Amino acid sequence: MSLTFTPLGASFVAEASPIDLRTVRDRDTLERIRAGMDEHAVLVFRDQALSDADQLDFAQRFDGTLHARTSTAVLTKNRFGNEALTDVSNVNEQGEILAANDRRRASSVSNRLWHTDASFQDPAGRYSMLSARVVPPVRADTEFADMRAAYDALDDETKARLAPLQVHHTIVYSRHLLGFEFTTAEREKLPGAIHPLIRTLPGSGRKSLYLASHAAEIIDWPLPEGRLLLRDLIEHATQREFTWRHEWRLHDFVIWDNRATMHRARPFDDATHRREMRRTTTLDLPLPQHS
Ligand code: OGA
Ligand code: MN
């Protein structure tokens, strides 16, 4: 099968030619998708009518171990019976739109902050895959930022200054910014994780800025300076030239590399329209060796 990628954005994001991800099993095609990810960082696959089982199977076939210690798992029991299938929607078990003050809604609304998935864990998230199951009749986009292009645009002196820095990521911090507090018991399950600010991506050799709303402090720096630098860098990285907005169609399947991008949900009238997505995220573990 010939698989081609058509670039959509200036520096990143491509649409993959027709392919049925439910049936892709050969290692060669899966590795071509990985190579496409190394180049484009976000890939859009159209017309993927995946079941939950299809999505879970594909994610593991493609990239290994799934992230299941999610922040939503700490809050509620997963309505699909599998914590590795994250419910990214605004409805309850009965399929009714969540009340404005529902804790689950407060948590998912936080996706409107720029972030990378599971940066508050170690290992963090590598690829996230989002499947559009119910798309509202209004725009409810997901916006991405290319953190490689953002890194490349820094001057040499800044790159050298940032190179040794380590960052503590915790979801307790990003939620607190929005007025959402975890209980002590919940907080104990979410201690956060430390990651380098600059990382070299193994597939492409390119460098990227690894940032997120969860980035709370720079290790060994005073809090105000650390937070201000992180804020400035997020502002830098999310300038128009580095970003792309994905307008969802039913059965779109979008894969992004959390090491190379940030993303955020754009607001829409979620008290009126249903929007149902399912996410699977793989952990950034060493790749299995295939012979
Ligand atoms: C996610 C996420 C954004 C959106 O699924 O990780 O941040 O637009 N989603 O739903
Ligand atoms: Mn996310």
Side-chain angles (χ1 to χ4, degrees), residues 138-201:
V138 294
R139 294 270 300 250
D141 298 356
T142 306
E143 190 170 20
F144 295 92
D146 183 350
M147 305 305 281
R148 305 162 309 174
Y151 173 83
D152 291 345
L154 298 170
D155 60 56
D156 289 345
E157 186 260 318
T158 307
K159 286 177 182 164
R161 191 163 54 91
L162 301 184
L165 302 183
Q166 300 282 321
V167 178
H168 181 228
H169 292 247
T170 163
I171 193 164
V172 174
Y173 170 68
S174 52
R175 296 292 192 261
H176 175 80
L177 286 178
L178 297 176
F180 179 92
E181 302 298 344
F182 290 99
T183 64
T184 309
E186 287 165 350
R187 266 205 302 274
E188 274 165 13
K189 293 187 192 151
L190 298 165
I194 294 172
H195 298 292
L197 176 59
I198 309 297
R199 41 196 309 174
T200 303
L201 303 165

Side-chain angles (χ1 to χ4, degrees), residues 251-270:
H251 296 151
D252 277 355
F253 188 76
V254 175
I255 310 181
W256 63 85
D257 187 338
N258 286 293
R259 304 165 302 180
T261 58
M262 285 200 298
H263 62 280
R264 65 172 176 176
R266 300 298 298 153
F268 71 104
D269 182 1
D270 68 330

Side-chain angles (χ1 to χ4, degrees), residues 88 111 115 117 130 140-142 248 256 263-266 275 277 279:
V88 182
N111 277 340
H115 66 282
D117 293 330
L130 195 55
D141 298 356
T142 306
W248 290 95
W256 63 85
H263 62 280
R264 65 172 176 176
R266 300 298 298 153
R275 179 180 188 258
M277 326 276 267
R279 175 159 62 80

